[in-house]
Amino acid sequence: MTASANVTPLLADRPVANMRPSAAIELHNVTKIYETASREQVHALSNINLDVGAGEFVSVLGASGCGKTTLLRIIGGLEGGYAGKLTLHGRGGDNSRRNVGIVFQDANLLPWRTILQNVLLPTQVLRLDKRASIARAHELIELVGLKGFENKYPFELSGGMRQRVSIARALVHDPSVLLMDEPFGALDALTREVMNSEVLKIWDTTKKTVFMITHSISEAVFMSDRVVVMSPRPGRVIAEIPIALSRPRNIDMLSEERFGGYTRELRRLLDVSALQAVNAKNSS
Ligand SMILES: Nc1ncnc2c1ncn2[C@@H]1O[C@H](COP(=O)(O)OP(=O)(O)OP(=O)(O)O)[C@@H](O)[C@H]1O
Ligand SMILES: [Mg+2]
């Protein structure tokens, strides 16, 4: 099989309605303890059990330092030395690099490369077929609304545009899973709102499995099929809230009573777990 056979069209087949999707990401008892330079142990994650279905959009909320990025890095194959088991589409996590695309808070584009060259980077690292990759990069650049900017350099783009480039770059090798770590954290509120809807459109077009970390409760509710709440460190999954709002989502839903119900419930869960952590600290 040639590498070009790996580059598939953007419009994936939709899963049959009402069928429970098979798990794209499975975490079984994942525990991570860091050892710092001064030999102190930092218990970052404790027995994380979590499944994310193929094509599902899952967000993670939790206090700063509770291990969200650690979890994302483990799924993305960037962090080793953990206990427990990770499988992607039923296979061990060693296939992360090919199956996963990652968007971080900062776009981290290479300033000496054009937008097209930045988007193509993962295909060069993975040695995918050049012509098919260029065609796909052009499709993705159009999908993220940057047609016409292919030959510009990162410094010529706004923060929101740069983040669009990093989304295209994360999808160019056609991974099945898109991991996003506070992807809109550095954007102003209005750009962020626009990007939320844009990413939902991209998700709807490409049908990727999305695992997104955010600090915004309303963003999590607006975008997700399910919101996972983590406890303060060591991070554990303390709740999983399915979001039964209809799709496609639109900004008007933010003022719906049901939307407010979800955000209140999530805030309560975060407050209760933060309080428990404070009490546990004071009594130890
Ligand atoms: N390489 C490392 N060495 C030692 N400790 C680390 C390392 N990386 C992260 N930690 C610690 O692990 C814990 C979890 O960190 P992590 O970055 O996963 O949290 P987070 O939930 O993503 O926080 P934030 O919301 O602020 O981004 C923190 O206490 C952090 O200091
Ligand atoms: Mg983080």
Side-chain angles (χ1 to χ4, degrees):
M1 195 166 75
T2 62
S4 62
N6 287 333
V7 182
T8 52
L10 282 179
L11 289 164
D13 288 338
R14 281 160 187 280
V16 179
N18 299 329
M19 243 177 71
R20 188 177 152 70
S22 57
I25 307 169
E26 287 172 278
L27 297 155
H28 184 65
N29 282 341
V30 169
T31 294
K32 171 75 185 177
I33 298 173
Y34 287 108
E35 190 159 310
T36 63
S38 53
R39 302 235 155 234
E40 275 170 82
Q41 291 201 329
V42 180
H43 198 160
L45 296 171
S46 178
N47 287 314
I48 301 284
N49 288 296
L50 185 67
D51 286 0
V52 181
E56 196 178 9
F57 197 123
V58 169
S59 290
V60 180
L61 289 170
S64 184
C66 77
K68 301 179 297 297
T69 296
T70 302
L71 187 58
L72 181 137
R73 287 174 55 85
I74 287 173
I75 299 169
L78 302 175
E79 195 72 65
Y82 59 89
K85 197 170 165 207
L86 160 71
T87 53
L88 295 174
H89 297 287
R91 288 183 49 206
D94 56 344
N95 57 352
S96 290
R97 207 164 76 140
R98 183 64 189 77
N99 274 329
V100 163
I102 308 183
V103 177
F104 295 100
Q105 182 168 358
D106 296 311
N108 284 325
L109 304 179
L110 300 179
W112 58 88
R113 284 185 160 231
T114 64
I115 299 317
L116 178 63
Q117 288 165 346
N118 265 286
V119 171
L120 282 170
L121 191 62
T123 68
Q124 291 161 353
V125 173
L126 292 167
R127 297 177 184 279
L128 301 185
D129 178 82
K130 202 172 160 187
R131 271 179 64 180
S133 297
I134 290 173
R136 189 173 165 80
H138 279 291
E139 273 184 81
L140 282 164
I141 288 170
E142 184 167 0
L143 184 70
V144 299
L146 289 178
K147 197 172 165 54
F149 289 86
E150 295 82 353
N151 296 319
K152 303 273 185 218
Y153 286 85
F155 76 89
E156 298 175 274
L157 271 54
S158 69
M161 290 160 97
R162 281 199 287 267
Q163 204 54 322
R164 287 165 192 264
V165 178
S166 83
I167 293 169
R169 181 183 57 190
L171 294 173
V172 74
H173 55 298
D174 198 28
S176 55
V177 173
L178 179 63
L179 305 176
M180 299 197 284
D181 192 351
E182 299 186 48
F184 316 117
L187 305 178
D188 65 87
L190 275 179
T191 308
R192 185 171 185 148
E193 228 170 59
V194 172
M195 288 295 288
N196 288 170
S197 298
E198 293 284 312
V199 166
L200 284 182
K201 272 190 216 147
I202 294 167
W203 172 70
D204 195 43
T205 307
T206 60
K207 281 292 160 205
K208 302 293 177 197
T209 304
V210 177
F211 182 85
M212 180 179 85
I213 294 170
T214 176
H215 280 289
S216 163
I217 295 175
S218 62
E219 181 172 276
V221 173
F222 179 67
M223 299 184 78
S224 311
D225 295 318
R226 187 156 47 107
V227 180
V228 173
V229 182
M230 284 175 65
S231 69
R233 193 161 62 83
R236 289 172 294 109
V237 173
I238 54 169
E240 295 179 44
I241 308 292
I243 308 296
L245 300 170
S246 59
R247 302 236 184 226
R249 306 266 163 95
N250 62 66
I251 295 293
D252 294 340
M253 289 177 169
L254 267 64
S255 47
E256 276 182 22
E257 176 48 33
R258 262 197 318 169
F259 192 96
Y262 286 127
T263 57
R264 279 192 296 277
E265 172 66 359
L266 287 164
R267 184 169 298 283
R268 190 188 65 78
L269 286 164
L270 287 164
D271 285 348
V272 168
S273 74
L275 191 64
Q276 281 169 350
V278 170
N279 289 341
K281 213 172 180 182
N282 289 338
S283 62
S284 66

